[in-house]
Amino acid sequence: MNIQTELMAMAINYINEVMEAEHIYCFGSRYLQQQTESVFGDLKGLKRAVHFDLLVVTDNLCPRPDFIGRLENMEEMEVTVCLMVCTRAALDDALLHNNRFYHTVISKGRLVYGKTGTAALLPAGFDEERDLEAIRAYRENCAARGAKSVFSTMNYKNIFNFSAIPLYTKSLVEVCREVVYVCMGYEPEGYSLEQLLDLCDSIDPRFNELIPRFTQRDIFHYKVLLKGSWRKGKVNMMEPRMLDLYDCCERFIGHAEAVCARKLESAVEG
């Protein structure tokens, strides 16, 4: 059993401890790397982790419908998991209503777990034109919700004011929601920025580079954006570099718009 298969088995066992799954599909996997360094110790090196994107179909109640679980194996190598959870009834209804995300996962994803005695899942027919209309409408709604926030962040480009941070975070949330829906057909209501960024990474690896998590400074800025705020305290050894944060968000938003535009173009041509 290779390490990725072993980690997948651990993830499945963990999921079944939290909720009894009927089916589990893997629709994405990747290796993550994080650079560790310190002037006070010999900590230089790369920390590697395996990440899985999973859809869990269950009829049992789940305490947290959408969450990222962290596991460790005996070799101290982490596995991270982004879960989408739905009931069989909700899945059948979504397929009936032309949901592109569920249709794609069921038809193209890898079935990594199936409970004995449960009926197989079969994708329904899919209407491409109807989906294209839904994408355009959703994108317009995201733009309307995020426009004020994006416009406000522009006013903070050359102002080193920490009150701009929640505006950056809000802008990223709306842009990520647009990317996820346009590219995956999944409507991520109620997701945290961390979960949304995780999904964007599974769509295009460039997103991971635009909000990097390699150096200590990268990770600090990443956590500031996730929280949406920052306060100076005794335990804080760093302060956010506001221009760096702005440039990071601006590059991310620009790439996101290009990714969405390409997706729409390919959908129209197809």
Side-chain angles (χ1 to χ4, degrees):
M1 181 183 291
N2 63 38
I3 189 65
Q4 191 164 356
T5 303
E6 182 181 343
L7 292 174
M8 176 63 81
M10 291 178 62
I12 291 170
N13 289 338
Y14 173 71
I15 291 167
N16 278 321
E17 287 178 3
V18 178
M19 69 197 97
E20 187 178 353
E22 292 189 0
H23 297 86
I24 301 177
Y25 285 86
C26 179
F27 60 90
S29 62
R30 58 193 182 276
Y31 280 101
L32 307 177
Q33 291 190 148
Q34 177 178 303
Q35 182 175 325
T36 304
E37 58 183 318
S38 173
V39 297
F40 298 105
D42 186 17
L43 298 176
K44 291 185 178 180
L46 290 175
K47 184 178 182 181
R48 301 187 72 193
V50 176
H51 178 91
F52 298 118
D53 298 311
L54 303 176
L55 170 66
V56 178
V57 183
T58 177
D59 277 330
N60 293 303
L61 294 176
C62 173
R64 297 180 62 191
D66 308 297
F67 64 95
I68 298 172
R70 291 189 177 273
L71 304 172
E72 293 184 0
N73 69 356
M74 64 186 77
E75 299 179 37
E76 297 183 352
M77 182 177 179
E78 288 189 330
V79 53
T80 61
V81 183
C82 182
L83 294 183
M84 276 80 158
V85 183
C86 70
T87 64
R88 177 62 183 265
L91 176 62
D92 289 340
D93 185 66
L95 292 174
L96 183 64
H97 288 85
N98 211 58
N99 185 291
R100 175 162 43 97
F101 172 76
Y102 291 111
H103 182 275
T104 304
V105 172
I106 299 304
S107 60
K108 297 181 180 180
R110 180 162 61 100
L111 180 64
V112 295
Y113 174 81
K115 185 179 178 181
T116 303
T118 56
L121 300 175
L122 300 174
F126 188 70
D127 186 336
E128 296 284 354
E129 187 60 35
R130 182 180 170 191
D131 178 61
L132 184 58
E133 292 176 4
I135 290 175
R136 287 170 172 157
Y138 190 89
R139 196 177 183 198
E140 288 175 4
N141 288 336
C142 280
R145 286 196 301 269
K148 183 177 180 181
S149 178
V150 174
F151 175 77
S152 298
T153 64
M154 296 297 186
N155 299 327
Y156 284 93
K157 180 172 182 179
N158 297 312
I159 300 175
F160 295 91
N161 189 326
F162 298 137
S163 62
I165 291 172
L167 297 175
Y168 296 169
T169 300
K170 182 179 178 182
S171 294
L172 286 176
V173 166
E174 292 301 335
V175 169
C176 287
R177 289 180 64 200
E178 177 184 356
V179 171
V180 171
Y181 188 84
V182 170
C183 296
M184 298 177 69
Y186 185 79
E187 189 169 354
E189 294 295 338
Y191 271 45
S192 68
L193 179 57
E194 181 179 20
Q195 293 166 318
L196 291 169
L197 289 172
D198 212 29
L199 290 175
C200 286
D201 289 347
S202 71
I203 292 167
D204 188 327
R206 180 84 197 284
F207 285 120
N208 187 266
E209 300 170 10
L210 295 173
I211 301 185
R213 280 143 268 180
F214 293 107
T215 67
Q216 290 178 334
R217 170 64 66 175
D218 290 341
I219 295 169
F220 171 70
H221 279 161
Y222 172 68
K223 290 181 177 178
V224 167
L225 286 172
L226 293 186
K227 190 176 180 181
S229 63
W230 181 84
R231 284 188 179 183
K232 189 175 181 63
K234 294 181 179 179
V235 297
N236 291 326
M237 302 299 291
M238 298 183 186
E239 287 190 0
R241 295 173 181 167
M242 294 304 297
L243 189 57
D244 288 351
L245 278 177
Y246 176 87
D247 289 341
C248 178
C249 294
E250 189 177 52
R251 289 193 298 269
F252 188 95
I253 291 170
H255 184 64
E257 289 304 306
V259 167
C260 289
R262 286 197 300 270
K263 179 64 179 179
L264 281 171
E265 287 174 8
S266 64
V268 170
E269 292 172 358

